[in-house]
């Protein structure tokens, strides 16, 4: 019988086994890296997108203040600061009134028409009237002409709702209010080369009170961009008289002209008047108020006598 020869048994190489184990670990780690690389790339991509979005957001916030036309700390006097813009074609769609319809368009700011003391008197008038009710949201209005007053989510007529008691609220007549309207009208006429006798007060003309309370109805959403000539129809010239100070009475609440090449702001100052032609050349909005309370009066004018309204006056006493 043939004897089969067996080879010598192999000697275990501990060092070799250790090397194989390390190599196996390395391969598994490499495999794990390859497996996780996809999600990691997605995560890095998401972070990059977030970074871009954040940068764009910051840039858009900065674009809100492309240029500050007039800051709160400036005193624009004696002459108004005028910024001319090209008139839009809007006015071609309306009847033209020589001596009034805009031929020169733009915007202007002045601190030389109403004093800060007069603005304080008008603010107290607004505070007394708006204290009767007010919106549940952040924006309340009081129209002394029609008597419209924000109350909750609707409006009431203060002259009908409160009757003769309204005279106890408004302890003085509206003489200063009327006098200020005349001065604003004269300033607009002089700036735009108009005949003031061809300009007429038009509605709505109102006090506004804006704070940071969340909006409850669309009437509270004052911050949307709009064009006065489109929104109201009768407007040809719009003015705002500010009754409180940006930065000390409230933050946010700046007036923003939205031009094709950037946004330009006016910072409110008590007694300051900002006025402008009402067409689409002056698309604008109000920045959201973030703190405090912003008071102002909107006073607007039309060239169409059919849309004229009278100055406000307290109604005659009723007798039972």
């Amino acid at each position: 019988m043939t004897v089969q020869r067996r080879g010598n048994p192999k000697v275990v190489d501990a060092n070799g086994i250790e090397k194989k184990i390390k190599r196996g670990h390395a391969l598994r780690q490499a495999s794990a890296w390859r497996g996780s690389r996809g999600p990691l790339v997605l995560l890095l991509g998401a972070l990059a997108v977030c970074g871009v979005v954040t940068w764009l957001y910051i840039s858009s916030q900065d674009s809100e203040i492309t240029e500050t036309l007039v800051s709160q700390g400036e005193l624009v006097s004696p002459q108004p600061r005028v910024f001319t813009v090209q008139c839009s074609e809007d006015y071609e769609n309306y009847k033209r009134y020589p001596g009034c319809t805009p031929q020169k368009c733009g915007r202007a700011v002045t601190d030389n028409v109403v004093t800060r003391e007069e603005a304080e008197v008008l603010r107290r008038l607004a505070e007394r009237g708006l204290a009767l009710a007010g919106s549940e949201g952040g924006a309340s209005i009081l129209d002394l002409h029609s008597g419209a007053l924000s109350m909750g989510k609707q409006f009431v007529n203060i002259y009908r709702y409160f009757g003769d008691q309204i005279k106890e609220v408004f302890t003085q007549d509206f003489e200063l209010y009327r006098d200020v309207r005349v001065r604003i009208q004269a300033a607009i006429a002089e700036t735009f080369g108009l005949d003031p006798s061809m300009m007429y007060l038009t509605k709505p003309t109102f006090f506004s009170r804006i704070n940071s309370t969340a909006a409850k109805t669309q009437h509270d959403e004052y911050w949307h961009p709009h064009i006065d000539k489109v929104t109201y129809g009768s407007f040809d010239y719009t003015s705002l008289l500010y009754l409180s100070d940006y930065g000390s009475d409230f933050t946010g609440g700046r007036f923003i002209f939205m031009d094709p090449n950037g946004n330009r702001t006016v910072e409110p100052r008590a007694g300051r008047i900002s006025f402008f032609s009402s067409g689409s050349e002056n698309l604008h909005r109000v920045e959201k108020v973030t703190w405090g309370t912003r008071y102002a009066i909107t006073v607007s004018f039309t060239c169409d006598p059919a849309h004229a309204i009278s100055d406000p006056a307290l109604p005659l006493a009723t007798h039972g």
Side-chain angles (χ1 to χ4, degrees), residues 7 16 21 38 68 70 106 111 142 153 165 214 228-229 234 275 282 292 307 316:
I21 291 173
T68 299
V70 183
D111 295 318
L142 169 61
K153 295 181 180 179
Q165 296 177 0
D228 287 348
K229 189 69 177 171
S234 64
F275 56 90
N282 280 315
H307 291 291
L316 297 175

Side-chain angles (χ1 to χ4, degrees), residues 18 22 27-28 36 38 47 79 84 100 112-113 124 127 137 141 161 183 203 205 243 248 251 264 293 310 314 320:
E18 185 177 355
K22 288 182 178 180
L27 290 173
R28 283 193 295 272
S36 62
L47 289 174
Q79 296 300 317
T84 301
C100 182
N112 195 45
V113 173
R124 289 197 298 267
E127 288 173 338
I141 70 162
Y161 196 86
R183 283 185 253 163
K203 63 181 180 181
T205 291
L243 306 179
S248 56
T251 54
R264 293 168 172 82
T293 305
S310 301
L314 289 173

Side-chain angles (χ1 to χ4, degrees), residues 26-134:
L27 290 173
R28 283 193 295 272
Q29 287 175 351
S31 177
W33 158 249
R34 286 192 296 271
S36 62
R37 183 169 55 186
L40 183 59
V41 170
L42 291 176
L43 177 60
L44 291 173
L47 289 174
V49 170
C50 288
V52 171
V53 170
T54 301
W55 180 83
L56 290 174
Y57 174 77
I58 293 172
S59 298
S60 69
Q61 292 299 99
D62 289 342
S63 71
E64 296 288 349
I65 321 170
T66 300
E67 181 182 353
T68 299
L69 296 181
V70 183
S71 67
Q72 191 279 333
E74 294 181 79
L75 182 63
V76 183
S77 179
Q79 296 300 317
R81 188 172 300 174
V82 182
F83 306 87
T84 301
V85 296
Q86 183 176 355
C87 291
S88 65
E89 297 179 357
D90 304 357
Y91 305 103
E92 300 299 328
N93 300 321
Y94 297 89
K95 182 178 178 180
R96 303 187 71 83
Y97 295 88
C100 182
T101 297
Q103 300 294 316
K104 178 176 72 173
C105 295
R107 56 199 67 149
V109 178
T110 179
D111 295 318
N112 195 45
V113 173
V114 178
T115 68
R116 291 178 68 85
E117 291 74 21
E118 290 172 328
E120 177 61 28
V121 172
L122 291 171
R123 174 172 169 167
R124 289 197 298 267
L125 177 64
E127 288 173 338
R128 289 196 302 272
L130 288 162
L132 296 171

